[in-house]
Amino acid sequence: MNNQTTVSYFLLLEFSKKWHLQILHFFLFIVLYLSTIIANLLIISAVATDNRLHSPMYWFLMNLAVQDLGSVSVIVPKSIVNSLMDTRHISYLGCVVQVFLFVSFTASDLSLLTVMAYDRYVAICNPLHYEMVMNWKACTEIIILAWIISLFYGTLHTTGTFSILFCSNVINQFFCEIPQLLKLSCSDFNPFELGIVVASVIAGLGCFTFIIISYAMIFKAVLKIPSEQGRQKALSTCFPHLTVVLIFLLTGFFAYLRPPSNTPSYLDFGLSVLYSLLPPLFNPIIYSMRNKNIKFVLSKLLRF
């Protein structure tokens, strides 16, 4: 392949040449996908239907569930269909759309987790100003701004990735992953995409630093609460979010900081599953286990 125009489709990772292992991959992914869909739909239904959960914290949580649904729905169904049909193909346009939506949803996840850290900071450190600062108008504007920034970021990353000249169409991953796509480049250097990656690292570190500082101030304020019950109540609203943040960042950093190998391996496949599929599945479970209000509403929903 001499230039980019000759690439009309890509070949995704083949899990195995053996049919029974392909079926195993199919069942593994469909179980993970359906579990993620059900868990996040339950969170969305709980927040949407119960008045006790109509507060900024749960509004952000519902939007996080929507984004998690989007991120898994972009990449998993195609892999499931390919395994069932014993094929590896994805069209060029399909790959572009997959990169754009997955990057946008992931960026929106990080933006929202950062906003949720600020929400907990205001609620615990400045409770008297909480309703004024985190009113419904402000929360709606924050969500819209997060989506706009994420879509813009997804557009930049997608443009940078697909501006390169591809010398191969074989992607060593089960979805169109940017590091794997960049390895197909005919040239070793892409200044536009490099600039976006540098900006992404700076933005990611900025969000991470903001979250750390917010929680440092939160824990400092919690230690000043005189009653043990008050401290536990304050921390109970923080630990689920902090756990979700750690899972999101650790899995993402672990997967992306490791250089992609030249040949497909089960390790690369496992790392990609770790950061792309497990956080959307664990997020609603973590919030459900640690939040009494959500557990109560979910128990009501599941009875009917």
Side-chain angles (χ1 to χ4, degrees):
M1 297 183 185
N2 296 322
N3 55 56
Q4 185 181 9
T5 59
T6 60
V7 178
S8 59
Y9 64 90
F10 291 95
L11 296 175
L12 298 175
L13 177 67
E14 185 179 35
F15 183 72
S16 175
K17 294 185 180 296
K18 298 179 180 179
W19 174 243
H20 68 279
L21 291 179
Q22 284 282 75
I23 293 298
L24 175 64
H25 170 257
F26 165 77
F27 279 112
L28 172 65
F29 267 45
I30 201 168
V31 168
L32 285 173
Y33 181 61
L34 291 178
S35 300
T36 303
I37 294 295
I38 292 170
N40 283 284
L41 283 178
L42 284 173
I43 292 292
I44 295 171
S45 301
V47 175
T49 58
D50 197 284
N51 292 330
R52 281 166 295 190
L53 301 184
H54 290 178
S55 66
M57 181 177 73
Y58 298 111
W59 167 244
F60 292 137
L61 177 58
M62 185 177 73
N63 278 273
L64 183 66
V66 171
Q67 291 162 7
D68 285 340
L69 282 178
S71 65
V72 294
S73 296
V74 166
I75 61 174
V76 178
K78 180 61 178 176
S79 183
I80 291 174
V81 171
N82 280 0
S83 294
L84 189 61
M85 303 299 293
D86 195 21
T87 182
R88 301 169 57 192
H89 290 71
I90 183 171
S91 67
Y92 183 89
L93 179 60
C95 195
V96 172
V97 172
Q98 200 174 72
V99 168
F100 169 70
L101 291 178
F102 183 73
V103 171
S104 297
F105 280 122
T106 304
S108 186
D109 255 13
L110 181 57
S111 301
L112 195 54
L113 289 172
T114 305
V115 171
M116 291 171 77
Y118 178 69
D119 173 73
R120 291 299 84 208
Y121 162 75
V122 177
I124 294 173
C125 298
N126 297 289
L128 297 179
H129 298 91
Y130 182 76
E131 291 187 4
M132 182 178 65
V133 175
M134 303 302 293
N135 55 68
W136 282 110
K137 180 183 177 182
C139 292
T140 303
E141 290 174 350
I142 288 171
I143 293 296
I144 294 173
L145 182 62
W147 276 108
I148 291 174
I149 293 174
S150 300
L151 291 173
F152 178 69
Y153 174 75
T155 301
L156 285 179
H157 236 323
T158 305
T159 303
T161 301
F162 289 94
S163 65
I164 65 176
L165 302 178
F166 294 107
C167 288
S168 172
N169 68 341
V170 179
I171 302 174
N172 293 329
Q173 193 53 271
F174 72 91
F175 67 100
C176 290
E177 186 184 47
I178 289 179
Q180 293 293 342
L181 283 167
L182 294 179
K183 286 182 65 65
L184 308 182
S185 173
C186 296
S187 60
D188 295 329
F189 181 70
N190 182 359
F192 183 68
E193 180 61 20
L194 179 62
I196 297 173
V197 170
V198 171
S200 302
V201 171
I202 294 173
L205 289 175
C207 291
F208 179 69
T209 303
F210 182 86
I211 293 172
I212 293 299
I213 293 174
S214 297
Y215 272 100
M217 299 179 72
I218 287 171
F219 290 139
K220 183 179 179 181
V222 167
L223 292 175
K224 294 180 180 179
I225 298 176
S227 68
E228 183 178 351
Q229 185 178 2
R231 290 194 295 270
Q232 290 179 350
K233 184 178 180 181
L235 291 175
S236 67
T237 64
C238 296
F239 278 135
H241 174 257
L242 191 56
T243 305
V244 167
V245 169
L246 289 175
I247 291 175
F248 180 86
L249 293 176
L250 290 177
T251 55
F253 285 153
F254 190 59
Y256 274 91
L257 290 180
R258 180 181 181 273
S261 59
N262 293 321
T263 57
S265 68
Y266 287 118
L267 178 59
D268 287 330
F269 175 78
L271 289 175
S272 63
V273 170
L274 187 68
Y275 87 87
S276 61
L277 301 187
L278 294 189
L281 173 61
F282 286 152
N283 290 352
I285 295 174
I286 291 169
Y287 273 102
S288 300
M289 289 175 60
R290 300 287 302 184
N291 191 292
K292 294 181 180 179
N293 291 333
I294 292 180
K295 284 197 292 185
F296 178 75
V297 175
L298 286 179
S299 65
K300 286 176 59 181
L301 286 175
L302 295 175
R303 286 196 201 111
F304 295 99

